């Protein structure tokens, strides 16, 4: 069966589940997104694309952006990053502060909010926020091969006005010296990276370098070494879904990163990158129908990193 036939099948089988879950209402701009949206897109490592539903409609990628800022931060400071952020699953919610005290302001991993705020701080060092945001956006446009990718100011402002828990995390880590720039500037970078708007198709393209040993499709330009791509995938598998990372690995069997906008980017190494979007979240804060769609897709393709 071809990939596009599988994508169509998944879309049809998912219909009864459109609208499952609840939109993230703690960010007012996200609370307005219609619950019944659903999109899926796949890009294979030889550049073939397949998509269905609302796959061309931009949505707020939120925490999926953490994969890309991690990639940039590793490019900037290499393994020095791991002095400031850990590499272990947290087993706690995405915005939890409890571990930070025990672990002296070093977040468990780069995909919980605290870890992504440190990563944003690394990217900001020596720059003005505007320059760092320009670098992030340029990178997103390059890897998705699409210059229309943008940051949604409404979403960024909405989060800036209500992001008290993120402000608490940043200030707390600043107290341990693990945030080095003024807290409001680091948070400004973080909120803007989360506000990036992309469609499933753009996001599937952006994930290609992780599926294709560090390169854009086929023998395209190298973005990172094959080893770095493998390691980023390992972090997505173990930490990409917060305290449901184990469940996602069990159900889907592929590295993936979710965001509270309802998007999930997943990677089948050597085969394809996949993006799904359905804004309704489960109780952990991951897309309910999105996770189900990836589970179905993995089952139909037989793709899994576990053999
Ligand atoms: N911008 C969101 C926050 O910081 C990201 C959370 C997520 O997507 O999981 O709360």
């Amino acid at each position: 069966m071809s990939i596009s036939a599988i994508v169509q099948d998944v879309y049809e089988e998912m219909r009864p589940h459109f609208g499952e879950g609840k939109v993230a209402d703690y960010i007012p701009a996200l609370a307005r997104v219609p619950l019944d949206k659903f999109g899926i897109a796949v890009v294979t490592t030889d550049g073939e694309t397949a998509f269905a539903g609302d796959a061309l409609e931009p949505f707020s990628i939120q925490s999926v952006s953490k994969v890309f800022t991690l990639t940039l931060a590793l490019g900037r400071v290499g393994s020095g990053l791991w002095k400031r952020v850990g590499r272990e699953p947290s087993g706690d919610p995405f915005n939890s502060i409890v571990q930070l005290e025990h672990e002296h302001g070093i977040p468990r991993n780069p995909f919980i909010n605290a870890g992504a705020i440190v990563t944003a701080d690394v990217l900001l060092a020596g720059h003005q926020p505007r320059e760092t945001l320009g670098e992030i956006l340029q990178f997103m446009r390059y890897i998705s091969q699409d210059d229309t990718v943008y940051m949604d100011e409404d979403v960024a402002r909405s989060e800036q006005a209500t992001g008290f828990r993120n402000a608490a995390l940043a200030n707390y880590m600043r107290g341990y010296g693990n945030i080095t720039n003024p807290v409001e500037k680091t948070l400004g970078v973080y909120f803007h990276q989360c506000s990036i708007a992309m469609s499933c198709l753009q996001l599937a393209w952006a994930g290609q370098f992780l599926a294709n040993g560090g390169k854009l499709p086929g023998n395209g330009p190298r973005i990172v070494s094959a080893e770095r791509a493998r390691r980023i995938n390992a972090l997505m598998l173990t930490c990409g879904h917060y305290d449901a990372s184990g469940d996602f690995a069990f159900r889907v069997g592929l590295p993936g990163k979710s965001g509270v906008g309802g998007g999930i980017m997943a990677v089948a190494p050597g085969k394809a990158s996949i993006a799904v979007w359905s804004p309704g979240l489960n109780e952990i804060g991951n897309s309910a129908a999105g996770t189900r769609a990836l589970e179905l897709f993995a089952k139909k393709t037989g793709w899994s990193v576990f053999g």
Side-chain angles (χ1 to χ4, degrees):
M1 206 170 178
S2 72
I3 293 297
S4 71
I6 292 177
V7 166
Q8 287 306 324
D9 264 20
V10 169
Y11 178 75
E12 291 304 329
E13 283 181 48
M14 282 305 298
R15 270 182 199 280
H17 300 287
F18 294 174
E20 238 171 39
K22 287 203 186 100
V23 287
D25 53 7
Y26 76 100
I27 303 175
L30 296 185
R32 298 194 282 271
V33 178
L35 191 58
D36 58 356
K37 295 280 178 188
F38 179 89
I40 176 167
V42 178
V43 179
T44 66
T45 48
D46 45 22
E48 183 193 336
T49 61
F51 52 90
D54 301 307
L56 303 181
E57 187 172 324
F59 62 90
S60 192
I61 70 167
Q62 291 294 318
S63 284
V64 183
S65 66
K66 294 170 181 174
V67 175
F68 306 109
T69 50
L70 169 67
T71 305
L72 285 172
L74 287 170
R76 180 80 63 80
V77 297
S79 52
L81 183 68
W82 306 121
K83 294 198 191 84
R84 294 178 58 186
V85 191
R87 299 190 296 257
E88 291 296 338
S90 67
D92 271 325
F94 65 99
N95 55 8
S96 171
I97 200 166
V98 292
Q99 278 164 351
L100 273 182
E101 179 163 22
H102 294 300
E103 294 171 6
H104 311 291
I106 309 287
R108 272 284 171 100
N109 67 65
F111 294 153
I112 50 173
N113 287 9
I117 293 169
V118 169
T119 308
D121 191 67
V122 167
L123 292 179
L124 182 56
H127 297 85
Q128 291 303 320
R130 194 172 292 275
E131 295 165 340
T132 304
L133 294 178
E135 180 191 0
I136 296 170
L137 194 54
Q138 202 179 5
F139 182 62
M140 295 315 295
R141 288 177 174 170
Y142 181 59
I143 57 176
S144 59
Q145 307 267 291
D146 192 332
D147 278 348
T148 65
V149 173
Y150 66 100
M151 288 176 178
D152 185 332
E153 263 313 313
D154 276 354
V155 173
R157 256 197 303 269
S158 183
E159 214 179 336
Q160 208 126 25
T162 57
F164 306 113
R165 294 184 72 138
N166 287 321
L169 293 171
N171 278 295
Y172 197 70
M173 293 189 290
R174 176 94 166 130
Y176 281 101
N178 200 17
I179 294 292
T180 58
N181 297 284
V183 163
E184 53 299 344
K185 287 193 176 177
T186 297
L187 284 174
V189 170
Y190 172 71
F191 292 141
H192 277 83
Q193 78 175 63
C194 289
S195 81
I196 293 173
M198 292 172 82
S199 67
C200 289
L201 187 59
Q202 289 168 331
L203 199 54
W205 273 101
Q208 251 311 293
F209 74 96
L210 295 170
N212 195 34
K215 292 182 181 177
L216 293 186
N219 202 15
R222 181 166 288 289
I223 307 297
V224 295
S225 67
E227 179 185 57
R228 182 158 292 167
R230 271 197 298 274
R231 289 178 160 178
I232 294 171
N233 287 339
L235 288 167
M236 284 205 289
L237 186 86
T238 52
C239 313
H241 281 74
Y242 311 117
D243 39 342
S245 298
D247 188 58
F248 187 83
F250 182 83
R251 289 173 59 189
V252 180
L254 298 171
K257 180 75 201 85
S258 69
V260 290
I264 304 176
M265 183 188 75
V267 170
K271 298 192 168 71
S273 44
I274 307 124
V276 292
W277 172 48
S278 172
L281 308 179
N282 59 25
E283 51 302 333
I284 310 277
N286 300 310
S287 175
T291 307
R292 205 189 277 275
L294 284 169
E295 189 177 4
L296 201 55
F297 180 82
K299 197 170 176 183
K300 286 181 186 293
T301 51
W303 293 349
S304 166
V305 293
F306 299 108

